[in-house]
Amino acid sequence: MCLASSGRLFASVGGRDYLRCEACEATFLCRERLPGRERESMEYRQHRNQSDDPAYRAFLRPLAESLLARLAPGREGMDFGCGPDPALAAMLREAGHRVALYDPLFHPDPEAGQRRYDFITCSEVVEHFHHPAREFARLDAMLRSGGWLAIQTTFQTDDTAFARWNYRRDPTHVVFYRPRTFERIALRHDWQLVFPSRNIALMQKRA
């Protein structure tokens, strides 16, 4: 099963066991070591991602531009896991789109999850999913036919460097994706998949 909750032992680093899903090649932290909500909140509040920071906007630009190139004017979307200062939503609004916000800590709007959208963005979000299969099913349910799911996360490509990989060291990063992982996710939900840029996956729900 894609993004299974069990798999073979892949690595043990600093007392933390990581498993590998043999079907989709995702690497994920064992469930017993998942961080609690308080620990996650503490880590997230240390991030300094400001919507008016030119460097942060430059980091988000490849995702924004890849998505914007595929959207008709005036579409309606959601920035899922937007954080306290949603820079990506601001960039998409500046391009003429309507963007709802959802974040379980900073924008916990239950009504946002009851609507359907032409696009959903997840920038530096999916690596935090404790139940990724469940979350991708939730995202699929919120997408309209023909809608786009736009993801940015650092792909895990070098197994030999995993123990010293800086991205792994963030205690809230609990699942890591490879291109094969997104291929299996797309197949499971009947999405069309493209990799327009490094560390970016765009998936379109079939019309």
Side-chain angles (χ1 to χ4, degrees):
M1 180 184 293
C2 180
L3 294 175
S5 58
S6 62
R8 63 177 174 84
L9 180 65
F10 169 69
S12 294
V13 185
R16 292 155 62 92
D17 288 343
Y18 294 87
L19 308 179
R20 169 69 57 82
C21 175
E22 295 185 2
C24 72
E25 301 180 4
T27 302
F28 51 96
L29 184 64
C30 68
R31 186 153 304 282
E32 293 76 15
R33 299 306 300 271
L34 291 173
R37 181 59 61 89
E38 184 176 343
R39 177 68 185 278
E40 289 182 315
S41 178
M42 184 187 311
E43 291 291 332
Y44 298 155
R45 293 179 192 281
Q46 294 180 24
H47 295 178
R48 295 292 180 264
N49 300 329
Q50 304 298 321
S51 60
D52 59 354
D53 181 353
Y56 187 49
R57 283 186 168 232
F59 170 74
L60 295 171
R61 191 167 296 120
L63 178 62
E65 291 181 349
S66 297
L67 177 60
L68 288 170
R70 293 165 170 83
L71 292 180
R75 299 294 88 185
E76 181 181 10
M78 170 199 274
D79 189 0
F80 186 88
C82 60
D85 191 357
L88 182 58
M91 296 167 70
L92 297 170
R93 287 168 177 166
E94 290 162 9
H97 301 286
R98 302 183 301 280
V99 185
L101 304 177
Y102 177 77
D103 189 289
L105 289 175
F106 304 105
H107 293 275
D109 179 4
E111 292 187 6
Q114 303 304 313
R115 300 195 294 272
R116 302 184 76 191
Y117 301 93
D118 300 305
F119 64 89
I120 299 173
T121 59
C122 294
S123 175
E124 295 296 309
V125 172
V126 297
E127 64 276 7
H128 301 283
F129 286 168
H130 288 197
H131 303 280
R134 184 187 307 170
E135 295 293 350
F136 280 103
R138 177 185 181 187
L139 292 167
D140 179 59
M142 291 190 290
L143 274 177
R144 292 176 178 141
S145 296
W148 287 94
L149 175 61
I151 293 172
Q152 181 167 340
T153 187
T154 301
F155 290 15
Q156 195 266 312
T157 56
D158 185 354
D159 284 352
T160 64
F162 184 77
R164 62 181 185 276
W165 188 29
N166 190 57
Y167 203 67
R168 180 201 61 78
R169 292 191 176 103
D170 186 321
T172 67
H173 290 180
V174 299
V175 56
F176 307 99
Y177 303 77
R178 301 167 72 87
R180 173 65 171 168
T181 315
F182 289 112
E183 290 169 2
R184 292 296 298 237
I185 293 170
L187 180 64
R188 183 173 188 175
H189 296 286
D190 195 26
W191 294 336
Q192 294 179 304
L193 168 68
V194 293
F195 297 113
S197 188
R198 183 171 176 266
N199 295 325
I200 292 173
L202 296 184
M203 292 179 275
Q204 185 178 34
K205 188 169 184 172
R206 295 182 188 273

